[in-house]
Amino acid sequence: MDEQALIAAAVRGELRAFNQLLQHHQALAYNVAYRMLDDTDAAADAVQEAAIKAFRGLKTYRGGSFKAWFLRIVTNNCYDWLRARGRHGVSSLDDLAEDPDYAEALVHPGEGPEARALREELSAFISRSVNSLPPDQRLTLVLADIEGVPYQEVADICNVPLGTVKSRLSRARARLRDLLMQRAELLPQRYRLENDIDGR
């Protein structure tokens, strides 16, 4: 059954059809929620709550991309969670908790201990840097650069014009680049700027 048929069945109240729809999009929804909230339990709760809201609100669904519609509900839940906990303005990377399992999952069995330690430190630093972005920039970066969602879909999910998506993405990338240049010693040699290699 194609997605439109599943949506039509779900609108008629068929829970099985709705569950099939969710299965297609739940991994992406969870990844986005986790990147936004940096908390596994909160991310799972945000997706679960979004699923309930989506099922209750299916009669208001007006067509278009179900994925974008559902992810908009998920991201709105994430914004609510961030507002409730006052985490909009995290200003210091040191205030953010590290996730040691994140770097561990990327370990290549053939690398040496020094290379592994550097890569883990870089991975943790990138994760903290992404988490330090304002929520709107973080969401845009996660959707476009980490999850590979096309720009127009990102605009639909965020309910903003395409130009806003590009602007947020540009600012997020520039901020990450600035943060990485502050710790250029963590970057592989090929990614360092010429003047950083020469010690300015």
Side-chain angles (χ1 to χ4, degrees):
M1 199 182 305
D2 67 20
E3 186 168 276
Q4 291 308 312
L6 285 173
I7 292 168
V11 168
R12 290 192 303 269
E14 294 181 28
L15 186 58
R16 185 174 177 179
F18 181 74
N19 286 337
Q20 280 185 267
L21 281 172
L22 286 186
Q23 285 175 354
H24 290 305
H25 305 295
Q26 69 183 8
L28 174 61
Y30 176 81
N31 288 342
V32 169
Y34 176 72
R35 291 288 187 168
M36 288 295 295
L37 302 175
D38 195 30
D39 181 305
T40 54
D41 292 335
D45 289 347
V47 174
Q48 184 175 7
E49 186 180 322
I52 293 167
K53 286 180 181 177
F55 186 71
R56 289 178 179 160
L58 259 179
K59 295 196 186 309
T60 66
Y61 173 71
R62 299 285 178 242
S65 168
F66 179 84
K67 177 171 75 172
W69 181 74
F70 180 60
L71 283 176
R72 189 176 311 131
I73 297 171
V74 172
T75 57
N76 284 340
N77 283 348
C78 291
Y79 282 132
D80 290 344
W81 192 93
L82 290 170
R83 273 191 293 273
R85 281 153 186 79
R87 290 189 56 198
H88 270 290
V90 176
S91 57
S92 169
L93 293 178
D94 296 332
D95 294 339
L96 298 166
E98 289 188 36
D99 181 3
D101 293 335
Y102 178 75
E104 189 65 32
L106 300 175
V107 173
H108 186 280
E111 68 186 343
E114 185 179 343
R116 175 181 172 175
L118 277 173
R119 188 179 42 73
E120 287 178 349
E121 190 176 352
L122 175 61
S123 177
F125 182 76
I126 291 172
S127 183
R128 290 192 309 270
S129 297
V130 169
N131 287 335
S132 76
L133 294 171
D136 58 348
Q137 291 179 25
R138 186 184 333 154
L139 174 61
T140 305
L141 183 87
V142 167
L143 289 170
D145 285 353
I146 296 174
E147 297 298 337
V149 176
Y151 289 6
Q152 186 56 59
E153 267 193 73
V154 175
D156 294 341
I157 292 164
C158 297
N159 202 25
V160 296
L162 184 58
T164 302
V165 167
K166 292 178 179 179
S167 174
R168 287 178 181 175
L169 195 54
S170 176
R171 288 195 304 270
R173 288 172 176 166
R175 176 67 179 145
L176 286 182
R177 185 175 55 248
D178 291 346
L179 290 170
L180 284 169
M181 287 303 101
Q182 293 172 15
R183 298 291 308 274
E185 73 279 3
L186 295 177
L187 295 173
Q189 196 72 29
R190 67 184 178 274
Y191 295 116
R192 297 181 192 179
L193 295 177
E194 196 76 31
N195 57 357
D196 291 320
I197 295 169
D198 296 335
R200 295 179 193 273

